[in-house]
Amino acid sequence: QVQLVESGGGLVQAGGSLRLSCAASGRTFSRYAMGWFRQAPGKEREFVAAITWRGGSAKYGDSVKGRFTISRDFVKNTVYLQMNSLKPEDTAVYYCAAAPSATGWTTGEYDYWGQGTQVFVSS
């Protein structure tokens, strides 16, 4: 079992930045690929970013490439999502997830999910 707790969401103006954090507890953090997803009202859940279990490689959704960066800290058992150049269309609830696999490139790999943190980007 893995418990995930997101933090760092809030209200920001377009063009601004936020850093989301996801603290993991439970089973060995380093054995899980980690990902971020988001869901806006009335829309389906969308893949945002993923990082491999060793942290050596990352993958991003097309809508956030070049603006968002995922990283992980194995000492703090935390995964981060640095979000720059935010746009109103980035407004959503952001979820952290853990996959008991090496890459986490597909949504179906994820077994554990956090409660989410709200991000609102004003125009």
Side-chain angles (χ1 to χ4, degrees), residues 6-85:
E6 303 97 333
S7 62
L11 171 64
V12 64
Q13 288 188 333
S17 299
L18 278 176
R19 188 177 80 157
L20 304 183
S21 300
C22 173
S25 61
R27 293 197 174 183
T28 307
F29 178 66
S30 61
R31 294 182 180 177
Y32 289 81
M34 300 297 295
W36 286 96
F37 296 78
R38 67 187 183 185
Q39 189 166 20
K43 295 187 177 181
E44 294 187 353
R45 183 175 58 194
E46 176 187 13
F47 169 78
V48 175
I51 188 166
T52 57
W53 62 348
R54 295 182 178 178
S57 185
K59 184 179 181 179
Y60 298 91
D62 289 341
S63 62
V64 306
K65 282 180 182 176
R67 300 188 297 124
F68 291 11
T69 303
I70 188 171
S71 61
R72 63 190 300 169
D73 184 325
F74 291 98
V75 174
K76 296 182 178 179
N77 284 358
T78 299
V79 63
Y80 302 98
L81 184 69
Q82 178 66 44
M83 306 187 295
N84 298 329
S85 302

